[in-house]
Amino acid sequence: MNGPYERGSAPDPLHDAIRAARLFTQNPTLFGGMVLRGASPARDALVVAISEALPTRRLPGHVDDERLLGGIDIAASLAAGKPVETAGLLAEAQGGVLVVPMAERLDEAVAGRLAQALDDRRVALVLLDDGIETEDAPPPALIERLAFMCDLSQSREWLGVSLGAMPTGEAAPLSDDALGAIAATGAALDVPSLRPLIHAAEAARAHAALEGRNKAAKPDLEAAARLVLAARATRMPPQEPPPPEEEQQEPPPPPPESGDTPDDTDMPSPEQLEEMLIEATAASIPRDLLEQLVKGKTPKRGASGTGQKRKAGLRGKPLGARPGMPRGGARLALIDTLRAAVPWQAERRRERAADPDAPILMRKEDLRIRRYEEKAARVTIFAVDASGSAAAARLAEAKGAVELMLAQAYVTRSEVALIAFRGENADMLLPPTRSLTRARRALAELPGGGGTPLAMGLNAARELARSVAGKGRTPSLIVLTDGRANLDAKGQPGRTQAREDAEASAKSIAREGYDALVVDISARPGREGPELAAAMQARYLALPRADAKALHSAISTNIREPA
């Protein structure tokens, strides 16, 4: 492979992408596929090389269930006067690869069908991600199932891309030490799934076979960790503290004698292997991801679009009919269809020499379908610090704000949930509801006093927000606290650990991208509240002296309305 820009110290990302493609083509359904981000000549050349090694089909951007899964071809049936069945694209691509252009715009329902096909190992996928912002990404359900993620947007090489010959043998299963090293690397990078670890283990074996080895060695493990785990890191690996100054002044050890040079294929001790894998993987973390991690913000992969206006086929605000086929959940707009067909009846009857009193002659282009636009409901999740330090004077105000929010629920189509954290627990006192009576009954049971397990409260709020978002609604987090945690995530006392756990929980909320507001309810706001808001990437509001109405007004003003 040659290109016009072979300069600079950093290798071109196409090199690793080709190596990943060679591993992928050895066993496509085992690895699931690849995500190729960034439109570039290098990506086009790599897709061509994959299509030369494997049978590929291209998935249309507007594919529906009938084309994907098969069924009755309505247009052909209208023309033939009898049902005509067609095979779906998944059946046509059985055992091969589906190339998905503009995968960042893939419909969630289609993504679900593809995820099922991946689990059944019927097809493999190559997702072409053209997203510009980090928030624009293919559905996470698919990303998790694909072994390799390659960003080729900065590649400057594209000539002579070839995957070469495939190996004929295969390597033995990995040893327990090697599997442990991969697991430790995933834990150090906080990889949020087990599937990448399984893919990394299989990638190490495939890499060994590619190099002609019957047993995976250190270079194979490093390559697997770099190709599979690096792009999925959600945090930087722990850094070793710098050695003491006196140790830095010690002379370096003498070079090994000739003949004592360690062989790269020798397996070091388990501890050394873990360190080497983590080091090799950390060096391959993409630069933009590294910048995001330094800022405490990971890409909002697979943002579902909840809370925004979206087209729907069954309910919502009517938008009028448009030409289309009544499939994939879309309903036929009968009146509009007849209105489109009637003006052409004289012409069609003349073409077919039909009786002037014959029934209406329909064609595919006459069909009209209904369109709707629906708006996801919002769920406001209150996480209230009910500890003795913060809540004694403010619980009544929080209760009042919740009641006022619920009073508007009917108008705003919103729901309210309440989590209280105090002592050694964080309890959901009020699941998402619009019932004012139910809320009042739950609020009456809200106790106060005890320690401040802030991390517990934030974790409970995050889990509830995740559940709400999974149901297609928009969560908003309102955290009422003074930010002064004194119990850690396990309920154990200790301010230092409690502060660190609360910060970690807040950053987890920021990574998942929920709309959040921190309301500082301490009598004398300190630095803890702003620091907590910064970690959550939330707005901060200090209300040292406010009643329920002021609190409700401030919250309503600071909640972002869905677009």
Side-chain angles (χ1 to χ4, degrees):
M1 180 184 65
N2 296 309
Y5 295 98
E6 290 186 358
R7 66 172 183 265
S9 57
D12 192 280
L14 181 60
H15 297 175
D16 269 350
I18 291 177
R19 186 164 292 268
R22 296 191 71 188
L23 303 183
F24 162 59
T25 52
Q26 288 186 45
N27 198 333
T29 55
L30 174 64
F31 290 115
M34 306 179 67
V35 180
L36 301 180
R37 184 175 176 83
S40 66
R43 190 180 71 175
D44 297 339
L46 186 60
V47 172
V48 171
I50 293 174
S51 65
E52 291 174 349
L54 297 170
T56 58
R57 295 294 300 270
R58 207 169 184 86
L59 187 78
H62 57 280
V63 69
D64 53 23
D65 279 357
E66 183 178 340
R67 181 68 187 100
L68 190 64
L69 305 175
I72 301 295
D73 187 329
I74 294 180
S77 299
L78 282 174
K82 61 181 182 180
V84 177
E85 295 187 357
T86 59
L89 198 54
L90 287 177
E92 296 172 1
Q94 181 89 17
V97 178
L98 272 179
V99 178
V100 184
M102 294 190 290
E104 76 282 359
R105 300 184 182 181
L106 195 62
D107 183 79
E108 291 182 359
V110 176
R113 307 278 192 272
L114 295 178
Q116 183 63 54
L118 289 172
D119 289 344
D120 296 339
R121 296 195 176 183
R122 286 185 281 163
V123 296
L125 300 179
V126 172
L127 302 184
L128 306 183
D129 180 4
D130 292 329
I132 298 176
E133 301 296 333
T134 54
E135 290 83 358
D136 301 331
L142 296 182
I143 291 180
E144 186 193 7
R145 287 170 168 80
L146 307 189
F148 306 106
M149 299 171 60
C150 306
D151 189 346
L152 296 173
S153 56
Q154 303 299 321
S155 178
R156 294 295 180 268
E157 298 181 12
W158 64 85
L159 300 179
V161 174
S162 173
L163 301 187
M166 292 295 109
T168 55
E170 67 175 15
L174 299 187
S175 65
D176 290 344
D177 290 343
L179 292 174
I182 290 177
T185 305
L189 301 177
D190 196 20
V191 175
S193 174
L194 290 178
R195 281 195 178 96
L197 304 184
I198 298 172
H199 285 148
E202 294 297 336
R205 293 183 60 204
H207 192 273
L210 199 65
E211 297 296 325
R213 288 188 280 270
N214 57 14
K215 183 179 179 181
K218 186 183 70 174
D220 305 316
L221 295 173
E222 290 179 345
R226 187 178 74 250
L227 296 175
V228 178
L229 301 181
R232 302 173 191 275
T234 59
R235 74 180 180 195
M236 292 296 294
Q239 301 293 322
E240 291 290 337
E245 191 170 339
E246 54 271 14
E247 293 184 8
Q248 292 180 353
Q249 296 175 353
E250 291 182 357
E257 298 291 336
S258 61
D260 295 341
T261 303
D263 188 349
D264 281 347
T265 60
D266 290 343
M267 291 293 283
S269 68
E271 294 76 12
Q272 292 174 326
L273 185 58
E274 290 176 12
E275 292 177 1
M276 285 188 287
L277 283 188
I278 293 173
E279 183 179 353
T281 309
S284 299
I285 293 177
R287 188 176 61 178
D288 59 341
L289 180 62
L290 185 62
E291 293 172 353
Q292 297 282 350
L293 292 173
V294 171
K295 295 175 182 176
K297 174 185 178 183
T298 54
K300 300 173 184 176
R301 293 279 181 192
S304 61
T306 54
Q308 301 189 8
K309 295 177 181 177
R310 53 192 180 192
K311 301 294 185 295
L314 299 177
R315 60 180 178 271
K317 177 183 176 184
L319 291 180
R322 69 169 178 81
M325 302 296 288
R327 58 193 179 193
R331 293 177 177 173
L332 177 68
L334 181 58
I335 301 300
D336 295 283
T337 299
L338 293 174
R339 187 177 292 130
V342 165
W344 303 98
Q345 293 306 300
E347 183 68 23
R348 292 174 186 176
R349 285 173 179 145
R350 190 164 44 249
E351 290 177 355
R352 293 192 180 186
D355 189 326
D357 296 329
I360 295 178
L361 299 178
M362 304 293 297
R363 290 184 180 176
K364 176 184 176 182
E365 54 267 25
D366 299 330
L367 298 178
R368 298 291 186 273
I369 58 175
R370 298 187 185 281
R371 291 189 307 154
Y372 300 92
E373 183 181 80
E374 63 179 357
K375 198 172 182 179
R378 177 185 293 279
V379 178
T380 304
I381 301 171
F382 285 86
V384 179
D385 181 351
S387 66
S389 65
R394 311 308 299 270
L395 280 182
E397 297 161 5
K399 294 177 183 178
V402 172
E403 290 193 13
L404 289 171
M405 297 288 290
L406 277 171
Q408 294 183 340
Y410 180 79
V411 177
T412 60
R413 298 180 67 248
S414 61
E415 297 182 3
V416 174
L418 176 64
I419 293 172
F421 51 96
R422 59 179 286 273
E424 299 177 356
N425 298 301
D427 301 317
M428 184 167 66
L429 298 182
L430 183 66
T433 182
R434 295 181 190 174
S435 171
L436 188 56
T437 303
R438 184 181 179 187
R440 283 174 173 166
R441 186 165 56 246
L443 293 173
E445 300 171 356
L446 177 60
T452 309
L454 181 55
M456 282 187 179
L458 296 178
N459 289 337
R462 187 194 63 211
E463 292 298 325
L464 181 55
R466 187 180 296 168
S467 173
V468 167
K471 296 177 181 177
R473 294 178 287 177
T474 303
S476 295
L477 301 182
I478 311 295
V479 182
L480 287 82
T481 181
D482 58 4
R484 293 160 189 164
N486 53 25
L487 294 176
D488 64 17
K490 298 180 180 178
Q492 300 299 317
R495 291 186 179 277
T496 302
Q497 186 62 45
R499 185 172 59 252
E500 293 176 355
D501 287 353
E503 183 180 359
S505 300
K507 289 182 177 178
S508 297
I509 292 175
R511 281 197 294 271
E512 299 192 21
Y514 300 124
D515 184 23
L517 170 67
V518 173
V519 181
D520 195 333
I521 57 176
S522 60
R524 295 181 179 178
R527 59 180 175 82
E528 294 87 354
E531 289 177 352
L532 178 65
M536 290 176 62
Q537 296 186 7
R539 279 147 291 139
Y540 173 75
L541 188 63
L543 289 176
R545 289 177 292 277
D547 56 15
K549 289 185 177 179
L551 191 58
H552 166 257
S553 175
I555 292 172
S556 300
T557 303
N558 282 274
I559 289 180
R560 290 194 184 101
E561 289 298 328

